[in-house]
Amino acid sequence: MKSIEDINTKISEKTAVVWTASEFKKHIRAGETVTPEDVDVVTCGTFGVMSGTAAVLAFQAAEPGTFTHAYKLTLNGVPAHIGPCPNESNGHVDAMVYGTAQSDRPGYGGGHLFADLVAGECVEAVIETDTGTITRSVTLGDMSSAKMIITRGTFKNYMAFVNPSQEEITTIFAVLPMKGNLQEATFSGCGEINPLENDPELRYHTPGTAALVNGAPGVILGTGTRTSAAKPNLSLAADMHQMDPNLMGGFKMNAGCECLTSVATAIPVTDAATIAALSVLNEDISLPVANVANRTAFAAATYADAWSGDARVRAEPSNCKTSDCTRCRDLCPREAIRSDLTISKSCMGCLTCVAVCPDHVFSAETGALHTTSGSIPVVLRQSDRVRGELAAVLLRNRIKSGCWKLGGMC
């Protein structure tokens, strides 16, 4: 049995063997026997909708003495909650913004705001005070503090949602009203590369442990809200000033905007039990299939079903037969379709365009959930394995360079 101290020494000496979860799984699928002598650290990652994301932002709104109290704040139209510090007469504003908060601008929410700030963009702050309204531009660089807090995220497992009724249902789990009669399925989760799928007993995901949040060094605060033994999740915090806008963002849904967040963690390979947990594969991971109307599971598939399709969408603009068509672009949750119908790097392979385009401009093998009720095609993925793997690679590289220690950063 290796100790974490032993592994940290190897990290300092840059001799540690570090694999991503995907690299580890390749050895398992090849039928190889992996032991703690073969690998020291495995990095895991996930990216997708994490509704429990918020940010605490603080900045100088005006010169001291300009106002006594601030009562209301919006950033690019996204409402913020002033406080808890009153900051009487010093011109400073502290506020919390929810990742799911909706702007007065259609299709824009807290997740979009966070990514815009991290990308260095100016946002419009409108502050209502006891002496009048202040409007000013503010950037992340202007903020004395910008901490992101995830109240619950990186769930070990999620549910897939379907509509068994005959009527269409409008839901937060779909971009368009969900068709009835089990015609389509939506799901979240990165399956076998997810941190908690690889550490189900949370041996190494403990309070105070370092994690990469949206590409920035962060810390695990503990388990998040609604955690359970069967479906644990994490609460984390990190400084937004060091985040990567490509690993976060907003996601337009039928019932409003959601927040996209990424998390990567490192699992030290200390013993055979760790190897056993890391050996989980998508085909071993159950994906309960639930009625979207009441969130009650009535069947089960696997993450192998869910991720059996292509990770990314292909575009063939010449297939478009509809003059001045904007429907696919308007419906894209990531606004990733350009005016010429090519796809930008914002795409996360959610499959919406594949499902709605009548001319098959956009194509991908979408996969299907195989249940006792039959095969149900996947029409929406609210997670992105490509970015989940990217987060794991970024953490792997930090560890291999010696600038990240298990349990903390150096």
Side-chain angles (χ1 to χ4, degrees), residues 317-336:
S318 63
N319 285 351
C320 186
K321 305 297 189 294
T322 308
S323 178
D324 299 321
C325 178
T326 63
R327 186 166 186 260
C328 296
R329 280 183 285 153
D330 292 343
L331 289 173
C332 176
R334 291 283 286 152
E335 299 182 342

Side-chain angles (χ1 to χ4, degrees), residues 7-9 11-12 210 398-399 402-410:
I7 298 174
N8 274 335
T9 297
I11 292 172
S12 296
R398 289 196 182 210
I399 296 171
C403 66
W404 186 285
K405 297 293 181 62
L406 300 177
M409 295 79 70
C410 61

Side-chain angles (χ1 to χ4, degrees), residues 5 13 27 52 55 83 108 129 182 191 194-195 204 206 232 305 311 315 320 322 335-336 342 347 352 377 393:
E5 290 74 16
E13 296 170 349
H27 291 280
Y108 189 89
T129 76
L182 302 178
N194 177 286
Y204 306 111
T206 55
D305 293 338
C320 186
T322 308
E335 299 182 342
T342 57
C347 176
T352 299
V393 168

